[in-house]
Structures are given as C-alpha cells and as structure tokens.
Amino acid sequence: MKLIGDKTELDLVAWANSKVGNKSNLQIASLKDKKGLSDGCFLIHLCGAIEPRYINWDLVTAGKTDEEKK
C-alpha cells in the first residue's frame, strides 16, 4: 500500500521502529500490530523520540492493566 508518494507502510514502520527501537526496545511489525500497539507505549515513545517535550513521563504507566492503558 502506498501512503505518501513512493513511501509504503513498510517504510513508515521501519522509520518508526528506527526512532523508537534503541530507546525502549519496542518494535512493531505493521500498522495493525495489536501486540505492539495495544498499550500505547510505542506511540508514546515515538512521540517522545520526535519531540521530547511532548511527553510528561511522570504520567506514563507501563500499560500492563486495562486501567494503565487508559
């Protein structure tokens, strides 16, 4: 699937993994990766990698329980 210009979903996933990967050992396989995306941690770390001031790390939980995921 083409997303923007000649970029594909695989390109986007590789870019996101490269931004997040070394910082938190989080990886996703695709944009539909339920295991990697269900707790929101990947997205939080991606936002933090793009702009660290976006995230108040004092408010971030591990996302282990349904309550933490909220």
Side-chain angles (χ1 to χ4, degrees):
M1 166 177 41
K2 299 281 184 187
L3 295 175
I4 299 171
D6 63 345
K7 301 298 181 196
T8 65
E9 178 180 346
L10 292 176
D11 295 327
L12 180 61
V13 168
W15 172 82
N17 283 332
S18 72
K19 288 289 189 193
V20 173
N22 293 336
K23 296 180 181 188
S24 60
N25 294 327
L26 297 172
Q27 296 282 296
I28 59 171
S30 74
L31 297 177
K32 296 178 183 177
D33 184 346
K34 290 182 182 180
K35 182 178 181 245
L37 297 170
S38 69
D39 59 10
C41 288
F42 184 85
L43 181 58
I44 290 169
H45 284 271
L46 179 58
C47 291
I50 293 169
E51 175 52 70
R53 295 175 294 173
Y54 287 167
I55 306 300
N56 180 346
W57 293 104
D58 293 335
L59 300 176
V60 176
T61 64
K64 302 269 187 231
T65 66
D66 287 339
E67 187 62 29
E68 284 185 351
K69 289 179 182 181
K70 288 179 187 178

